């Protein structure tokens, strides 16, 4: 029996599953590092987060939408992993389950599932937990001996004259990951390595991470040049908190980021500016998740007005 | 290395027959010659049942300005002038001829001697091309004499010859460049003379290094070879002009707006034969191929030969064949009727297995934007797809759907396996209808 269909008659090697799986692979090194330095607690948080994300997606598909399960596309695994990376490893596990329910149930499935959500599900889960359980979400175990249980960004936000109190090897510790923080805030180096893998595999392009981090660097660099006594070193802003996790893994989420390079650059600059505004003048020490969610909301508008470069 | 500015992709090229010399297919017992093998008005049949014809006898006269002559490709008796089914099973006006011997019309030079000199002037060259019924042989089949007649107000500055052959699997142009290099260069000079230009670029993708080397060593007199980075759809007219001379055909404009006239390698060879040897377009090279085909070949066949005979000549259709495609895998047509004849635009016959060609289940769009970066025209395929799905044709017009060249890069790339081009094609056709009816109203 001959098949008749219009051209093209070939399809490239890409599939949703391959793209999503690559994102999970890119997160593995940072995950292993967190488990090795932070202990089994980190492993449990991640396992519970991934398992409950998958469970909620399966439940909603099966009993609410009455449609076949979509777990094979790996997207629930990514949401689960990214949610875990946004939580302190000391968080009670039942709170993780609540976060997963919000991420999958409200932020993803209530819009219709994969591809239809407006906001990054993992970030909606994180922000929901941050607002609902502020104490549990901002208490971090002490990892290295040099610093208190506060994250570097908390330290800067709430300790006066923090800029003059930081030790010399501070930036290096941040880069490698010997500081307290959410699981995925910890090792800048391994997260960047994961990002590099995604760029080489052409899962993402360099535009969003580079423009987001670049904007943060330039904006905080200007402030630092104005007064280094009050404002932190721009390298600190890039390495601390969720800047790298956010710009490489969360801001580049396909569904919630703009559809062409021009739009992506506007979006990335927006994230950078809002992050710095919140970090420096806002009431939260970290603004990355809010910045990404705000720019997620702006994405449909960007797509409507910013078109790609036409051939002629 | 040069290439076009945006979009496209680099994939495996599957050139299975690049090193296989062109083989002459025996003259068949019967040919079916369609009266419309080109874009534009069909030719008007000027033979009747029972007429005797020779190879090269005019059997259909161009039916308008944009049309082309049709010649008999065999000698014998016209047995029918009734419509015959084409590759899609649609009946089209045709002349069926039963072969007796191989008698050619007088004045056709069938020798292999190279005739390098051409003393005709521009008009005489174009008239000869028109008489010979030559059309664009890359697959678009636009009548060549129309393309060479520069509209008033425009000026040709250079000739660009398309030796790109970016479609996977096809190697017909590659073999012509290797085996007929001298004829190609003479053909280029003839077309340059017809256009009144001094420069000619032959664009060839780097996967045909032997052809680049051979032609570079022989090219002279304003002809230069431009090696191009391998990337589909570089053989598209707009992409090729952009890659070679870095000028862009404006949206809705004609290629001549850039000063370039593009001709395919196969067309150049046909022009050489028409002008220097008085030979009308009665034969062409067809790549008959596929990963499971036992003996894939480049065949020189008479126009009108049944495609099933070509398939038999390469060892028959493999058992796992799901699709037989007329043309390349990216822009060719899947055939339901392999008894259909070879036409002037048949560049290849490709047999694909189910595993290679059957479409996977569609998934939800994840907005990965891969279609946007793959589109060589800078369009937004995901958006056009959605607009077409919702039948918002006026919006498709403002999103430039008429610029779409239907290359298939979007659907090829889509990780969610959405049939993007299917929908865009429907929307484009509807949008064209709206534009046309608006023009009629005026």
């Amino acid at each position: 029996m001959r098949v008749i269909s219009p051209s093209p008659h070939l399809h490239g090697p890409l599939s949703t599953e391959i793209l999503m799986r690559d994102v999970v692979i890119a997160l593995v090194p940072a995950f292993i590092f967190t488990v090795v330095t932070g202990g089994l607690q980190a492993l449990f948080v991640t396992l519970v987060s991934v398992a409950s994300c998958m469970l909620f997606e399966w439940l909603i598909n099966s009993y609410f939408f009455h449609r076949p399960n979509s777990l094979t596309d790996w997207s629930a695994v990514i949401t689960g992993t990214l949610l875990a990376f946004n939580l302190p490893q000391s968080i009670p596990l039942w709170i993780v389950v609540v976060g997963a329910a919000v991420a999958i149930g409200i932020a993803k499935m209530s819009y219709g599932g994969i591809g239809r959500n407006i906001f990054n599900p993992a970030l909606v889960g994180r922000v929901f937990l941050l607002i609902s359980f502020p104490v549990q979400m901002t208490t971090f175990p002490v990892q290295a001996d040099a610093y208190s249980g506060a994250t570097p960004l908390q330290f800067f936000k709430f300790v006066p004259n923090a800029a003059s109190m930081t030790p010399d090897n501070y930036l290096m510790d941040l880069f490698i990951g010997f500081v307290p923080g959410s699981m995925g805030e910890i090792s800048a180096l391994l997260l960047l390595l994961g990002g590099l893998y995604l760029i080489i595999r052409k899962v993402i392009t360099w535009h969003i991470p580079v423009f987001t981090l670049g904007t943060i660097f330039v904006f905080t660099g200007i402030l630092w040049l104005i007064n280094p006594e009050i404002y932190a070193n721009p390298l600190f802003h890039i390495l601390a908190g969720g800047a790298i996790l956010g710009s490489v893994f969360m801001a580049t989420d396909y569904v919630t980021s703009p559809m062409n390079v021009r739009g992506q650059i506007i979006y990335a600059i927006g994230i950078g500016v809002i992050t710095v505004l919140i970090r420096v003048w806002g009431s939260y020490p970290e603004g990355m998740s809010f910045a990404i969610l705000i720019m997620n909301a702006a994405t449909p508008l960007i797509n409507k007005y910013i078109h790609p470069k036409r051939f002629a | 290395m040069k290439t076009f500015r945006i979009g496209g992709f680099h994939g495996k090229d599957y050139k299975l027959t690049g090193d296989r010399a062109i083989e002459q297919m025996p003259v068949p017992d019967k040919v079916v010659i369609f009266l419309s093998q080109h874009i534009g008005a069909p030719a008007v049949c000027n033979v009747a049942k029972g007429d005797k014809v020779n190879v090269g006898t005019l059997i259909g006269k161009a039916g308008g300005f944009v049309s082309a002559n049709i010649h008999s490709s065999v000698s014998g008796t016209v047995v029918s002038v009734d419509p015959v089914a084409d590759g899609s099973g649609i009946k089209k006006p045709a002349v069926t001829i039963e072969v007796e011997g191989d008698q050619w019309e007088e004045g056709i030079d069938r020798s292999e001697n190279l005739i390098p000199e051409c003393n005709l002037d521009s008009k005489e060259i174009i008239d000869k091309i028109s008489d010979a019924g030559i059309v664009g042989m890359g697959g678009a089949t636009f009548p060549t004499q129309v393309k060479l007649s520069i509209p008033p107000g425009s000026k040709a500055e250079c000739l660009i010859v398309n030796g790109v052959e970016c479609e996977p699997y096809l190697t017909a142009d590659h073999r012509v460049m290797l085996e007929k290099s001298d004829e190609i260069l003479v053909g280029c000079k003839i077309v340059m003379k017809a256009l009144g230009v001094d420069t000619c670029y032959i664009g060839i993708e780097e996967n045909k290094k032997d052809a680049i080397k051979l032609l570079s060593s022989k090219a002279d007199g304003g002809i230069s070879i431009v090696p191009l980075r391998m990337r589909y759809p570089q053989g598209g007219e707009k992409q090729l002009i952009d890659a070679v001379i870095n000028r862009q055909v404006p949206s809705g404009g004609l290629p001549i707006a850039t000063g370039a006239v593009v001709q395919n390698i196969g067309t150049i060879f046909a022009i050489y034969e028409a002008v220097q040897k008085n030979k009308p377009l009665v034969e062409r090279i067809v790549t008959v191929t596929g990963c499971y085909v036992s003996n894939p070949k480049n065949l020189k066949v008479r126009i009108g030969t049944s495609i099933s005979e070509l398939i038999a000549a390469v060892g028959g259709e493999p058992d796992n064949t799901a699709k037989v495609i007329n043309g390349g895998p990216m822009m060719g047509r899947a055939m339901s009727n392999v008894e259909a004849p070879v036409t002037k635009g048949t560049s290849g016959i490709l047999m694909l297995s189910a595993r290679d060609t059957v479409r996977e289940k569609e998934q939800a769009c994840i907005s990965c934007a891969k279609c946007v970066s793959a589109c060589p025209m800078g369009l937004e395929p995901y958006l056009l797809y959605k607009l077409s799905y919702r039948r918002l044709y006026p919006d498709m017009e403002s999103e430039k759907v008429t610029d779409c060249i239907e290359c298939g890069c979007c659907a090829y790339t889509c990780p969610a396996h959405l049939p993007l081009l299917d929908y865009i094609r429907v929307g484009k056709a509807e949008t064209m209808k709206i534009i046309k009816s608006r023009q009629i109203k005026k």
Side-chain angles (χ1 to χ4, degrees):
Chain A
M1 184 66 195
R2 277 206 186 93
V3 180
I4 306 294
S5 67
S7 66
H9 305 290
L10 292 183
H11 190 274
L14 278 187
S15 71
T16 307
E17 293 77 16
I18 292 174
L19 292 172
M20 298 288 170
R21 206 179 52 208
D22 269 343
V23 178
V24 176
I25 292 171
L27 285 165
V28 166
F31 170 67
I32 292 174
F33 182 87
T34 320
V35 173
V36 169
T37 59
L40 286 179
Q41 191 70 28
L43 182 70
F44 293 143
V45 171
T46 312
L47 284 181
V48 167
S49 177
V50 170
S52 38
C53 279
M54 292 173 77
L55 178 72
F56 288 125
E57 182 154 326
W58 179 78
L59 283 175
I60 292 169
N61 266 331
S62 304
Y63 296 101
F64 199 82
F65 289 141
H66 301 288
R67 63 184 187 194
N69 95 69
S70 51
L71 295 179
T72 50
D73 68 21
W74 287 81
S75 65
V77 180
I78 297 183
T79 303
T81 318
L82 287 176
L83 177 65
F85 273 43
N86 274 287
L87 304 175
Q89 47 200 270
S90 54
I91 196 160
L93 294 178
W94 67 272
I95 293 185
V96 179
V97 178
V98 173
V102 171
I104 292 292
I106 294 177
K108 184 179 178 187
M109 300 309 276
S110 68
Y111 289 97
I114 187 172
R116 299 194 172 86
N117 50 304
I118 299 173
F119 299 102
N120 186 315
L123 281 179
V124 172
R126 171 195 150 87
V127 168
F128 177 85
L129 296 183
L130 185 64
I131 294 167
S132 313
F133 307 98
V135 178
Q136 291 91 330
M137 281 293 286
T138 51
T139 309
F140 301 95
V142 178
Q143 274 202 316
D145 49 9
Y147 318 108
S148 70
T151 68
L153 281 169
Q154 286 172 333
F155 182 67
F156 250 89
K157 187 93 209 172
F158 303 118
V159 178
N161 293 329
S164 53
M165 288 165 61
T166 49
D168 296 339
N169 57 353
Y170 198 84
L171 286 174
M172 202 46 173
D173 281 352
L174 270 175
F175 185 58
I176 297 181
F178 298 116
V179 290
S182 296
M183 292 169 52
E185 292 179 357
I186 290 177
S187 178
L189 174 68
L190 293 174
L191 289 172
L192 284 176
L193 214 65
L196 203 64
Y197 172 77
L198 292 182
I199 291 171
I200 291 170
R201 294 273 297 162
K202 294 190 177 158
V203 175
I204 60 170
T205 59
W206 56 271
H207 302 88
I208 292 178
V210 168
F211 274 91
T212 305
L213 294 174
T215 306
I216 294 175
F217 187 83
V218 170
F219 195 175
T220 55
I222 293 169
L223 296 174
W224 184 65
L225 286 177
I226 293 170
N227 191 347
E229 295 288 312
I230 304 174
Y231 301 112
N233 184 325
L235 268 179
F236 167 83
H237 273 288
I238 296 232
L239 296 173
I244 289 173
L245 179 72
S247 59
V248 174
F249 290 96
M250 321 279 275
T252 53
D253 171 35
Y254 288 147
V255 181
T256 55
S257 63
M259 292 295 283
N260 64 72
V261 171
R262 289 175 179 178
Q264 285 168 359
I265 291 172
I266 294 173
Y267 164 88
I269 292 174
I271 292 173
V273 169
I274 297 169
T275 302
V276 178
L277 288 178
I278 296 174
R279 280 188 182 182
V280 176
W281 291 288
S283 54
Y284 280 94
E286 171 60 308
M288 198 72 198
S289 23
F290 296 107
I292 294 173
L293 289 173
I294 290 168
M295 291 314 289
N296 283 168
T299 294
L301 201 66
I302 294 173
N303 282 336
K304 188 167 165 65
Y305 290 104
I306 308 296
H307 293 291
K309 184 178 148 194
R310 306 288 194 203
F311 175 78
Chain B
M1 202 171 288
K2 288 183 171 184
T3 188
F4 53 98
R5 47 176 42 197
I6 48 170
F9 68 85
H10 173 110
K12 196 170 174 224
D13 63 4
Y14 298 100
K15 304 282 191 188
L16 311 172
T17 48
D19 54 357
R20 304 209 174 181
I22 297 167
E23 260 181 57
Q24 178 79 50
M25 188 74 186
V27 180
D29 297 335
K30 189 186 89 178
V31 293
V32 175
I33 301 174
F34 285 129
L35 288 163
S36 180
Q37 303 184 30
H38 46 261
I39 289 179
V44 181
C45 180
N46 62 358
V47 288
K49 192 176 165 180
D51 284 4
K52 295 278 178 197
V53 292
N54 288 335
V55 184
T57 307
L58 188 72
I59 57 172
K61 205 163 164 29
F65 177 64
V66 182
S67 183
N69 285 339
I70 305 281
H71 302 82
S72 173
S73 58
V74 291
S75 61
T77 312
V78 176
V79 292
S80 158
V81 289
D82 297 329
V84 176
D86 72 357
S88 308
I90 297 165
K91 288 204 167 183
K92 286 185 173 166
V95 176
T96 308
I97 302 164
E98 261 177 21
V99 178
E100 295 145 19
D102 195 26
Q103 191 63 47
W104 287 61
E105 283 285 316
E106 262 175 56
I108 298 175
D109 175 1
R110 294 185 64 206
S111 71
E112 290 286 316
N113 304 336
L114 181 74
I115 306 176
E117 296 305 320
C118 171
N119 297 319
L120 304 175
D121 69 15
S122 169
K123 194 181 170 303
E124 287 166 335
I125 293 172
I126 294 176
D127 284 347
K128 261 192 142 170
I129 290 171
S130 178
D131 289 344
I134 293 173
V135 301
M137 291 173 74
T141 65
F142 192 77
T144 301
Q145 79 277 5
V146 182
K147 217 168 167 184
L148 294 179
S149 312
I150 306 302
S154 306
K155 194 177 159 4
E157 292 168 40
C158 66
L159 167 68
I160 298 178
V161 178
N162 188 346
V164 171
E165 208 164 42
C166 60
E167 276 268 10
Y169 290 99
L170 303 188
T171 57
D173 291 350
H174 183 189
R175 290 315 304 180
V176 172
M177 286 190 280
L178 287 177
E179 295 177 35
K180 303 287 178 191
S181 54
D182 296 314
E183 287 85 347
I184 293 291
L185 293 171
V186 174
C188 291
K189 282 177 192 157
I190 293 170
V191 179
M192 286 160 74
K193 201 169 177 189
L195 292 169
V197 299
D198 307 323
T199 17
C200 166
Y201 304 99
I202 305 180
I204 306 173
E205 278 191 350
E206 59 176 330
N207 58 351
K208 295 177 268 293
K209 288 204 167 62
D210 45 0
I212 295 173
K213 214 174 141 193
L214 179 67
L215 285 171
S216 301
S217 68
K218 290 183 174 176
D220 62 344
I223 302 174
S224 44
I225 313 302
V226 185
L228 299 168
R229 184 145 66 84
M230 222 186 111
R231 211 158 135 230
Y232 178 87
Q234 197 140 241
E237 198 167 34
K238 293 172 182 180
Q239 279 63 39
L240 183 64
I241 296 173
D242 180 31
V244 173
I245 59 171
N246 193 21
R247 290 187 201 167
Q248 293 76 39
V249 180
S251 172
L254 292 171
I256 190 64
T258 63
V261 173
V262 179
Q263 293 291 344
N264 173 268
I265 280 283
T267 317
I268 293 285
F269 181 64
I271 289 172
Y272 165 81
E273 291 203 310
V275 176
Q276 304 296 73
K277 305 243 172 187
N278 295 316
K279 187 178 158 189
L281 184 49
V282 294
E283 292 180 302
R284 73 154 297 147
I285 318 293
V286 183
T287 305
V288 189
T289 183
C291 286
Y292 301 95
V293 171
S294 52
N295 192 13
K297 285 175 181 173
N298 298 297
L299 292 170
K300 187 173 191 182
V301 300
R302 299 286 170 94
I303 306 280
T305 308
S306 167
I307 285 166
S308 59
E309 290 183 44
L310 273 62
I311 295 174
V314 297
E317 204 175 305
D319 291 339
N320 63 359
T321 302
K323 258 186 199 176
V324 180
I325 294 159
N326 182 345
M330 291 305 293
M331 291 185 78
R333 268 170 180 270
M335 289 192 293
S336 61
N337 170 28
V338 294
E339 300 307 320
V342 169
T343 66
K344 292 176 182 178
T346 308
S347 49
I349 300 296
L350 171 62
M351 285 155 267
L352 288 178
S353 72
R355 222 183 114 215
D356 294 332
T357 191
V358 169
R359 295 175 172 199
E360 303 245 354
K361 197 172 173 294
E362 292 168 35
Q363 296 167 318
C365 171
I366 51 166
S367 307
C368 65
K370 300 229 174 275
C371 57
V372 179
S373 26
C375 180
M377 298 307 293
L379 306 177
E380 290 154 286
Y382 80 96
L383 180 62
L384 295 172
Y385 160 79
K386 285 180 187 166
L387 292 173
S388 179
Y389 189 86
R390 293 174 198 162
R391 304 185 185 190
L392 296 170
Y393 304 125
D395 290 336
M396 292 188 81
E397 189 186 348
S398 50
E399 295 298 340
K400 304 271 180 197
V401 70
T402 49
D403 281 356
C404 172
I405 58 168
E406 303 185 20
C407 62
C409 287
C410 50
Y412 176 91
T413 320
C414 181
H417 300 278
L418 294 174
L420 295 168
L421 183 54
D422 295 5
Y423 280 88
I424 294 172
R425 221 184 245 127
V426 170
K428 184 180 164 187
E430 291 297 323
T431 309
M432 294 287 218
K433 276 189 214 161
I434 294 170
I435 295 171
K436 257 195 192 143
S437 62
R438 195 187 298 139
Q439 282 164 349
I440 291 166
K441 257 188 196 166
K442 275 180 189 169

